[in-house]
Amino acid sequence: MNLATETPITAADKTFLELRTAIVEGDVTAGSKLSETELSTKYAVSRAVVREAINRLEACNLIERKPNVGARVVDLNTEGLLELYQVRESLEGMAARLAASNMTDQEVQALQSLLEKHYKTVQSGDNYYQEAGDVDFHYRIIQGSKNSQLITLLVDGIYHLIRMYRVQLGMSGPRVTTAFEEHRNIVNAIANRDPELAEMLMRRHIAYTRKSLQNKLSQEQA
Amino acid sequence: MNLATETPITAADKTFLELRTAIVEGDVTAGSKLSETELSTKYAVSRAVVREAINRLEACNLIERKPNVGARVVDLNTEGLLELYQVRESLEGMAARLAASNMTDQEVQALQSLLEKHYKTVQSGDNYYQEAGDVDFHYRIIQGSKNSQLITLLVDGIYHLIRMYRVQLGMSGPRVTTAFEEHRNIVNAIANRDPELAEMLMRRHIAYTRKSLQNKLSQEQA
DNA sequence: AGACGATATATTGTCGACAATATGCTGATG
DNA sequence: CATCAGCATATTGTCGACAATATATCGTCT
């Protein structure tokens, strides 16, 4: 018996994942068409598996499909990103609330030490780690909610979408300072097992980020 | 030129929709297998379109798939439903908040008259309308948020899931009285353009429903 | 010359067949 | 009698081909 639940990876899985990163990272430009035949030759698979991949991408809201016409990478407007941040505020707020109740002490400690590490690199000014650290921070709290529906929604769905939007709109990287103080306060609330406060702080944190984005975007348009 | 943007409906679309209602309504029992060949003969289409439909169902979290094994209707535990209600509380709370800001005066009036109609049928004791009315009420507020991401998430995703859970667990129909008072307070908050209050009341409303479900379910298990 | 219509081309939708994997059965063995 | 190996069957994964639809090209007419 093999405990490592070896899940066989189908060709459709692989092409889906490759295509998704290609889209999310912006390697295929926004609004460009996804030709089935073209992709099937490019990835050396049949059209059937390409179609399956495209179907899944559509389910993720990463592309749009019109029957008998084809699939295009969603062309993103500023409004969509801001809408997404409202959804995120709501869901991650709930995640923080649940995390304050459901995280194990061990997980809380791990979160605290992550924060510690984060603090050091903020001062050193390593921008790359900053972004990775930010994602990791949010990711752990989401997991800490222990609500599988919530986790699936955020990790499999919204996060990829947000990432794509940000790349497309040239908004890569979080706020310059990543608002370390806010992170610390959230962690404290969770460590104190204070769900209401944790939710409120997380919502504020994301709302601030949203407003910061909004400013940047309206500035660029001017 | 035809203004009615006639969207061609593919066979895959149809089978997807039929299958979804069949699953959501409980016509195919929980945990049962979805055989591709069987379904293709039943719906008189090729396996390819069945596969596409199944793919979409998987994206909706209505079924689970294991490679080389097949797809089964998700077998639902109580916990999953309660988790879903937490997500719903979060998202519909946000929807109510946004609706208080973004609904037109006309939409608010329509909502108020719906409430009126609702009130009459609560007293007459027409149980069917009560459920339909409840769904309609929530649906309008969601639409009123004007946040397309939020709308898609709730209408295309979570609502079908919740419906399926409820049917499977024998929890059809909302709370006996549908908590008319709560609905009224929510509408008032929206009409007064009070986002914070609208959100808070909607969250409470759903949290109550959730607890009511929890009681019912734990009672049954005893 | 511009607009419209018919034809040609390309792309997507659908289908049936083959290959790969999992499941169930049969029978041999301890 | 239980267990396990090997085979037979059934189901899913993948593929290439045909049909239906949309797009592009070209010619004609006003």
Side-chain angles (χ1 to χ4, degrees):
Chain A
M1 172 80 82
N2 191 351
L3 287 183
T5 58
E6 40 174 317
T7 306
I9 295 178
T10 68
D13 279 322
K14 257 176 50 178
T15 46
F16 164 66
L17 292 175
E18 289 188 42
L19 258 176
R20 186 175 67 176
T21 56
I23 290 173
V24 168
E25 303 292 340
D27 296 338
V28 287
T29 54
S32 66
K33 192 167 187 296
L34 296 180
S35 163
E36 295 182 359
T37 56
E38 192 179 327
L39 291 174
S40 73
T41 59
K42 181 174 178 182
Y43 289 97
V45 288
S46 92
R47 262 186 61 217
V49 328
V50 171
R51 276 179 73 84
E52 178 165 340
I54 286 181
N55 269 321
R56 290 202 224 168
L57 290 171
E58 186 189 18
C60 298
N61 295 108
L62 293 173
I63 66 176
E64 279 175 348
R65 261 179 93 190
K66 269 191 285 191
N68 296 318
V69 175
R72 316 190 79 85
V73 177
V74 287
D75 200 359
L76 308 156
N77 44 0
T78 298
E79 209 176 332
L81 181 58
L82 296 177
E83 284 184 358
L84 215 45
Y85 264 79
Q86 287 175 328
V87 172
R88 191 184 160 201
E89 173 184 333
S90 156
L91 288 177
E92 284 204 48
M94 177 59 83
R97 165 186 287 264
L98 296 173
S101 300
N102 299 339
M103 269 182 137
T104 67
D105 291 340
Q106 201 177 4
E107 287 167 332
V108 172
Q109 279 173 18
L111 188 62
Q112 285 171 321
S113 58
L114 177 69
L115 193 72
E116 209 51 52
K117 208 161 59 175
H118 193 181
Y119 180 62
K120 282 172 192 153
T121 51
V122 164
Q123 294 186 315
S124 81
D126 179 347
N127 244 330
Y128 169 73
Y129 176 81
Q130 217 175 109
E131 175 166 359
D134 184 67
V135 170
D136 198 7
F137 173 80
H138 286 275
Y139 188 78
R140 288 203 197 193
I141 292 176
I142 293 166
Q143 297 288 344
S145 74
K146 306 287 170 74
N147 181 319
S148 61
Q149 311 276 354
L150 191 57
I151 294 169
T152 302
L153 225 53
L154 281 166
V155 173
D156 292 348
I158 295 183
Y159 261 54
H160 294 291
L161 247 182
I162 286 187
R163 175 139 190 75
M164 180 177 65
Y165 271 68
R166 297 184 66 137
V167 170
Q168 279 196 28
L169 298 176
M171 299 272 108
S172 285
R175 280 188 280 165
V176 222
T177 67
T178 308
F180 172 76
E181 282 296 325
E182 292 169 24
H183 280 196
R184 188 170 64 185
N185 291 333
I186 292 170
V187 172
N188 284 343
I190 291 175
N192 288 333
R193 304 302 186 182
D194 188 336
E196 272 81 21
L197 186 61
E199 174 166 21
M200 182 184 164
L201 291 174
M202 179 62 88
R203 286 186 63 157
R204 273 200 204 167
H205 173 54
I206 292 173
Y208 283 148
T209 311
R210 179 174 168 278
K211 273 170 200 144
S212 149
L213 268 176
Q214 201 164 11
N215 285 340
K216 258 198 210 169
L217 290 166
S218 59
Q219 246 178 334
E220 281 187 8
Q221 280 177 344
Chain B
M1 172 82 82
N2 192 352
L3 286 183
T5 60
E6 39 174 320
T7 307
I9 296 179
T10 67
D13 280 322
K14 258 177 50 181
T15 46
F16 164 67
L17 291 174
E18 289 188 41
L19 259 176
R20 186 176 65 176
T21 57
I23 290 173
V24 169
E25 303 292 341
D27 297 338
V28 287
T29 54
S32 67
K33 192 168 187 298
L34 296 179
S35 162
E36 295 181 0
T37 57
E38 193 179 326
L39 291 173
S40 73
T41 59
K42 181 174 179 182
Y43 289 96
V45 289
S46 92
R47 262 186 63 219
V49 327
V50 172
R51 277 179 73 84
E52 178 165 340
I54 286 181
N55 270 321
R56 291 202 225 169
L57 290 171
E58 187 190 16
C60 298
N61 294 108
L62 293 173
I63 65 177
E64 278 175 347
R65 261 179 92 189
K66 269 190 286 191
N68 296 317
V69 175
R72 317 190 79 85
V73 178
V74 286
D75 199 0
L76 308 156
N77 44 1
T78 298
E79 208 175 333
L81 181 58
L82 297 177
E83 284 183 358
L84 216 44
Y85 264 78
Q86 286 175 328
V87 173
R88 192 184 159 202
E89 175 186 331
S90 154
L91 287 178
E92 284 204 48
M94 178 58 83
R97 164 187 288 263
L98 296 174
S101 300
N102 299 339
M103 268 181 136
T104 66
D105 291 340
Q106 201 176 4
E107 287 169 332
V108 172
Q109 279 174 18
L111 188 62
Q112 285 170 322
S113 57
L114 176 68
L115 193 72
E116 212 48 54
K117 209 163 60 175
H118 193 181
Y119 180 62
K120 284 173 190 151
T121 51
V122 164
Q123 294 185 317
S124 79
D126 179 347
N127 243 331
Y128 168 71
Y129 176 79
Q130 216 175 109
E131 176 166 358
D134 184 67
V135 170
D136 200 7
F137 173 80
H138 286 275
Y139 188 78
R140 289 203 197 192
I141 291 176
I142 293 167
Q143 296 288 344
S145 76
K146 308 285 173 74
N147 181 318
S148 61
Q149 311 277 352
L150 191 57
I151 294 170
T152 302
L153 226 53
L154 282 166
V155 173
D156 292 348
I158 295 183
Y159 261 55
H160 295 290
L161 246 182
I162 286 187
R163 174 139 191 75
M164 179 178 66
Y165 271 70
R166 297 184 65 135
V167 169
Q168 278 195 29
L169 298 175
M171 299 272 109
S172 285
R175 282 188 280 164
V176 222
T177 68
T178 306
F180 172 76
E181 282 295 328
E182 291 169 24
H183 278 199
R184 188 170 62 184
N185 290 334
I186 292 170
V187 172
N188 285 341
I190 291 175
N192 289 331
R193 304 301 188 181
D194 188 337
E196 272 80 22
L197 186 59
E199 172 165 24
M200 183 182 163
L201 291 174
M202 178 62 88
R203 286 186 64 156
R204 273 201 203 165
H205 173 55
I206 293 173
Y208 283 148
T209 312
R210 179 173 169 278
K211 274 173 197 139
S212 150
L213 268 176
Q214 201 164 12
N215 286 338
K216 259 196 205 168
L217 290 165
S218 59
Q219 246 178 336
E220 281 187 6
Q221 281 177 345

